[in-house]
Amino acid sequence: MNIIPRSPSKKGKLKAFSNADYDDLNPTITYRHMQSPTIGPKHPLRVVALCDCNAFYANCEQVRLGIDPETPLVVLQWGMLIAVNYPARKFGIFRMDKPSDALKRCPELMVVHVATYAPGEPEAKYWEKPDIKTHKISLDLYRRESIKIHTMFKELLPTGEVEKASIDEAFIDFSIPVRDTLLKRYPYLAQPPVNAPNGLDTPLPPPPKVSCVGLGNLIPIDPSKLDTEKEVTTELVEDIEKNEPMTWHDVGLIIAAELMADMRKEVHKTLGYLTSAGIARNKFLSKLAASYRKFNTQNILRNSAIPGFLKPMPFQKIRFLGGKLGKAIAGEYDVSTVGDLLIIGLDEMQNKFGECSIWVYEILRGIDRSEVKEKSVINKSMNAAKNLPKPITKFSEGPHWLRMLAAELTIRLNEARETTPGLWPRTLGLHARQGWNPLRSKQQPFPSPRVVTVDFMTDEATKLWKEIVGKDVLWDGKKGMKVTNLSLSLTGISWTEEGQKGIKGFFHEPTASRRVVSEGIAGPSTPFNVRKQKRKRSLSSTPGVNDKEIITYNVDDDEQGTSTAYSFVCTRCRQTISLPARFKEQAAEIETGSDLFLDFEEMRQNAFTNIRVEHDDYHFAQDLAHRYGTANAASPSKRSIAIPTSLRPAKKKKTQKEPEGIAKFFIKKTKA
DNA sequence: GTGGATGAG
DNA sequence: CGCTCATCCAC
């Protein structure tokens, strides 16, 4: 297997690093880079973080119950622990342990069962002894808290990009805020010296030495320092590496670390959640860096530390290599670490695993071009499922469960519509499994009524229930129906003008949008990516950005509707748009006129502007969607909303028989 | 549209 | 390797 040489490196002094596999780690940064209005995946100053919550479910319960965070606490789901907080971990308690074992290790352990829907109850509650036979798990609390954290991140970093990666994780693109901070702290970076021979292409002067003491663990360049169990303090690493040259990217990482630390502190102070974070040059590395040390810390992965960090890493720890694909690669080459795989050339890999192995090839070399993108719609689908330890044996027992599933979906849908009015699921689906039989499912268009009620959804679900169990099984009970698994889902959730009308019942003529698509925005635009770009532009003071784009709002002279300090009424849709409740709560605690009050006022005004811009953008996007063709049609705009930011190679070989290459690990069960 | 598979946690 | 949830793809 020959090593395929990489294409000749563009800019950058690859001499700085001995390993040719990592040849892009110290690119030359010029004034032109400082001035580019956007910072994409290839920009040398890109800075990305992954922030994730520590033992999130347990933390949520601790906050909900208002108990001491030092109390060992676990979250129980039926017979199994699904979350263990850090105090409890000290007792050797793990996820998936049984509660009885956990209590043996720690008798004072606080055991909290997740909320459940009980039969007939309109909402999930915390019951003394929930019954697996009649109750259904609810994860709503965690979803709601997750949204709070996500919202706070966005508010605290209006010029950044925040992508919710899972219920307890978010990617944050710090590139723009970092660049803005760099320009503020080092104003000489804005323009090349007048006598610079190459103008904007002149490299930046050497960076200052910047301390990162107190900003987290600096992942050491020397891999032999990596796995030491003892804490490697930042001071220690700095001492060891004091002669390592710093780069402007390192400075950027450290600025991001400051911002990240502030945001994490704020989340902790306001919401009570502890987090950890990784800061690096792309998503995948930030995620790995975050897992370096996990509890209430953040880790900074400098480019120079990437080879040492990555090579000893078991590659199956990498996102999307944790499953079958990772196993297949491990089996094929009988190796386990990233370093082991570096000797595999691109051609070799592509021959074995298909063309899209380029993705894996690059990941192994610390390259990840995927963008941090805010998801336009929270989710594309919602699903409520229940395993039935006591199977349904009579047709008539079905609706009882259907009602419970419908209740959950109804609450979740209506909750989502609070923040995003106009959300509309295209289809309602019901899946049912009987014993060993294959899963059966039916779906139907979801008629979006003005108000979705539990009754309505239950009725709709019952129609599907009839179709499923009524068709293949003689369901009157005599044939011994045995449904062991039920799941009700809303899919194709998207945001439409129609849905908006449906909910609000307002059919007023949309006024002409005050905004038009800027001719400056290149490429195909969806309502949402246009929205994001415009917002960026209007809120950041980026050099080179057309100032005419900036849109200001004046609360007193308000063309949009009436305003109070905490909310305003939009004249277009007549909705009241409010700041999060905590603003009011906080205001009540602060003495008017105090210094704190002034700070608070500033924050409130910023937030107010944000919700205003956001709401206006919402109408803007709505109009755009309207213009491009609306509602149900799979218009190009709608299409692109639905495209996920998936890292996967997404190779669709149309082979009739065996999919080729990597694709098969994403698609089908491998054949023997 | 239906049914299956994968993956994360 | 229990349970829940989300997403994607082939047919």
Side-chain angles (χ1 to χ4, degrees):
Chain A
M1 45 193 95
N2 52 343
I3 301 167
I4 305 298
R6 290 173 58 81
S7 53
S9 73
K10 324 90 221 190
K11 48 212 158 188
K13 357 172 188 170
L14 59 154
K15 299 286 144 43
F17 301 96
S18 55
N19 195 323
D21 281 311
Y22 298 93
D23 62 359
D24 68 333
L25 297 181
N26 192 15
T28 302
I29 301 171
T30 67
Y31 290 89
R32 191 180 295 282
H33 288 124
M34 294 303 295
Q35 295 195 2
S36 95
T38 59
I39 298 187
K42 288 187 299 189
H43 197 287
L45 279 177
R46 191 153 102 113
V47 180
V48 175
L50 177 107
C51 183
D52 75 336
C53 298
N54 304 140
F56 183 51
Y57 290 4
N59 203 163
C60 287
E61 298 298 349
Q62 172 255 313
V63 168
R64 177 181 68 88
L65 296 166
I67 60 184
D68 182 351
E70 294 307 313
T71 309
L73 183 151
V74 293
V75 179
L76 183 64
Q77 182 186 79
W78 304 133
M80 214 124 35
L81 305 188
I82 57 170
V84 181
N85 75 357
Y86 281 74
R89 288 182 198 190
K90 288 187 192 148
F91 292 86
I93 299 169
F94 296 97
R95 219 175 109 86
M96 300 300 113
D97 283 354
K98 283 187 294 194
S100 53
D101 294 341
L103 278 166
K104 267 178 228 157
R105 296 181 193 277
C106 173
E108 316 89 86
L109 184 67
M110 181 111 185
V111 182
V112 184
H113 196 284
V114 295
T116 56
Y117 289 90
E121 291 283 335
E123 60 186 32
K125 288 184 180 156
Y126 288 86
W127 304 92
E128 278 289 322
K129 283 180 75 84
D131 184 352
I132 190 173
K133 295 203 291 298
T134 57
H135 291 218
K136 188 205 172 302
I137 296 292
S138 163
L139 304 176
D140 290 342
L141 172 69
Y142 317 126
R143 289 194 197 97
R144 281 196 280 262
E145 295 302 294
S146 172
I147 290 171
K148 283 189 200 169
I149 297 172
H150 188 239
T151 305
M152 181 167 282
F153 279 164
K154 286 195 290 187
E155 283 172 5
L156 293 172
L157 199 76
T159 57
E161 192 77 18
V162 184
E163 173 186 330
K164 196 164 181 295
S166 75
I167 196 158
D168 71 342
E169 292 176 321
F171 285 106
I172 302 165
D173 194 325
F174 279 102
S175 304
I176 296 291
V178 159
R179 197 265 314 275
D180 291 350
T181 307
L182 280 173
L183 287 173
K184 205 183 307 171
R185 289 190 191 167
Y186 312 101
Y188 55 88
L189 296 180
Q191 293 294 338
V194 279
N195 57 350
N198 292 323
L200 283 179
D201 293 313
T202 307
L204 302 184
K209 268 235 130 156
V210 175
S211 165
C212 62
V213 174
L215 295 176
N217 303 306
L218 208 54
I219 294 178
I221 295 171
D222 179 353
S224 69
K225 306 283 189 301
L226 271 178
D227 289 322
T228 49
E229 272 308 311
K230 69 171 192 292
E231 190 70 15
V232 180
T233 65
T234 298
E235 290 85 346
L236 181 57
V237 172
E238 280 198 331
D239 186 50
I240 294 167
E241 298 177 353
K242 61 172 170 280
N243 292 320
E244 283 295 328
M246 222 170 178
T247 69
W248 278 111
H249 187 255
D250 293 343
V251 179
L253 290 172
I254 289 169
I255 290 170
E258 288 175 42
L259 298 169
M260 186 78 254
D262 288 346
M263 292 162 69
R264 291 176 47 234
K265 252 179 241 156
E266 187 61 29
V267 164
H268 184 227
K269 197 177 75 187
T270 318
L271 301 174
Y273 297 110
L274 286 177
T275 54
S276 42
I279 298 150
R281 67 166 174 168
N282 60 39
K283 288 171 78 172
F284 130 79
L285 287 172
S286 70
K287 168 113 179 145
L288 274 186
S291 61
Y292 176 56
R293 293 190 196 291
K294 277 235 60 156
F295 181 60
N296 194 18
T297 59
Q298 54 186 43
N299 307 306
I300 302 169
L301 179 62
R302 294 161 296 170
N303 284 1
S304 50
I306 290 174
F309 182 58
L310 225 39
K311 283 188 203 170
M313 181 79 60
F315 58 79
Q316 297 193 13
K317 276 168 71 172
I318 293 169
R319 204 158 70 128
F320 298 125
L321 292 181
K324 290 195 157 196
L325 175 58
K327 211 163 284 170
I329 293 175
E332 176 67 31
Y333 300 111
D334 195 28
V335 291
S336 65
T337 69
V338 170
D340 296 335
L341 280 180
L342 287 174
I343 58 166
I344 315 295
L346 178 58
D347 280 2
E348 154 78 16
M349 205 177 278
Q350 287 186 321
N351 286 339
K352 279 265 162 43
F353 295 98
E355 236 170 74
C356 42
S357 313
I358 181 82
W359 175 78
V360 176
Y361 183 90
E362 290 190 332
I363 284 291
L364 298 173
R365 286 153 181 82
I367 297 166
D368 174 12
R369 304 183 204 285
S370 61
E371 298 197 56
V372 178
K373 258 219 191 91
E374 187 180 354
K375 302 233 173 78
S376 48
V377 171
I378 310 192
N379 278 321
K380 296 187 202 47
S381 68
M382 284 180 190
N383 182 39
K386 172 69 186 173
N387 273 346
L388 300 155
K390 181 173 174 296
I392 296 175
T393 54
K394 289 211 295 252
F395 176 81
S396 60
E397 292 169 357
H400 160 255
W401 282 110
L402 294 177
R403 166 164 289 273
M404 200 161 335
L405 300 179
E408 176 170 353
L409 286 187
T410 305
I411 289 171
R412 284 170 60 188
L413 176 62
N414 287 332
E415 228 166 59
R417 282 175 166 184
E418 273 172 31
T419 31
T420 319
L423 283 186
W424 190 22
R426 246 205 276 320
T427 46
L428 177 74
L430 181 67
H431 297 241
R433 165 164 290 155
Q434 305 216 41
W436 314 271
N437 299 335
L439 191 75
R440 299 208 61 78
S441 74
K442 282 289 175 195
Q443 30 191 269
Q444 61 176 47
F446 185 73
S448 211
R450 304 214 344 213
V451 178
V452 178
T453 63
V454 178
D455 284 334
F456 174 81
M457 199 169 316
T458 307
D459 289 347
E460 293 301 309
T462 305
K463 290 181 193 166
L464 295 168
W465 173 245
K466 282 178 189 157
E467 284 197 52
I468 290 185
V469 298
K471 195 184 271 178
D472 294 350
V473 178
L474 300 174
W475 45 262
D476 54 12
K478 293 177 188 127
K479 274 294 176 185
M481 159 196 303
K482 196 171 162 197
V483 176
T484 53
N485 188 285
L486 257 191
S487 111
L488 189 65
S489 57
L490 295 172
T491 55
I493 299 174
S494 60
W495 171 82
T496 70
E497 179 97 5
E498 291 303 311
Q500 167 73 354
K501 286 177 184 172
I503 287 172
K504 287 292 162 191
F506 294 147
F507 287 83
H508 62 280
E509 195 60 31
T511 54
S513 175
R514 292 188 297 123
R515 295 196 192 173
V516 292
V517 185
S518 159
E519 64 279 21
I521 295 170
S525 300
T526 67
F528 285 96
N529 66 29
V530 168
R531 181 177 77 100
K532 287 311 295 178
Q533 291 182 39
K534 287 190 75 72
R535 183 152 75 97
K536 277 306 83 88
R537 283 159 158 245
S538 60
L539 289 177
S540 68
S541 54
T542 306
V545 166
N546 182 358
D547 281 344
K548 275 175 278 186
E549 286 279 322
I550 295 175
I551 293 157
T552 54
Y553 291 90
N554 186 326
V555 172
D556 296 319
D557 173 26
D558 177 25
E559 65 175 49
Q560 279 218 327
T562 56
S563 304
T564 67
Y566 300 97
S567 65
F568 68 94
V569 179
C570 172
T571 52
R572 245 188 106 180
C573 62
R574 300 189 213 172
Q575 282 185 91
T576 304
I577 311 298
S578 305
L579 287 173
R582 79 190 135 74
F583 281 91
K584 250 183 191 167
E585 292 159 13
Q586 280 182 13
E589 294 169 12
I590 299 173
E591 190 191 338
T592 313
S594 64
D595 280 357
L596 195 59
F597 180 79
L598 295 178
D599 287 347
F600 173 80
E601 257 308 289
E602 191 184 328
M603 192 175 80
R604 187 196 62 76
Q605 281 172 22
N606 284 336
F608 195 89
T609 306
N610 281 349
I611 60 170
R612 220 155 234 252
V613 172
E614 223 159 80
H615 188 76
D616 185 62
D617 284 347
Y618 159 70
H619 280 295
F620 171 72
Q622 204 175 40
D623 294 340
L624 255 168
H626 194 61
R627 191 175 315 156
Y628 284 153
T630 45
N632 313 325
S635 63
S637 61
K638 173 138 290 179
R639 259 262 153 72
S640 37
I641 293 174
I643 290 170
T645 59
S646 171
L647 281 178
R648 289 172 37 223
K651 241 334 212 238
K652 4 158 177 244
K653 293 251 177 177
K654 290 284 175 188
T655 33
Q656 239 74 13
K657 0 170 172 124
E658 184 82 353
E660 292 297 325
I662 267 183
K664 68 184 168 195
F665 299 103
F666 291 120
I667 296 164
K668 268 202 170 134
K669 213 163 55 173
T670 37
K671 292 179 185 165

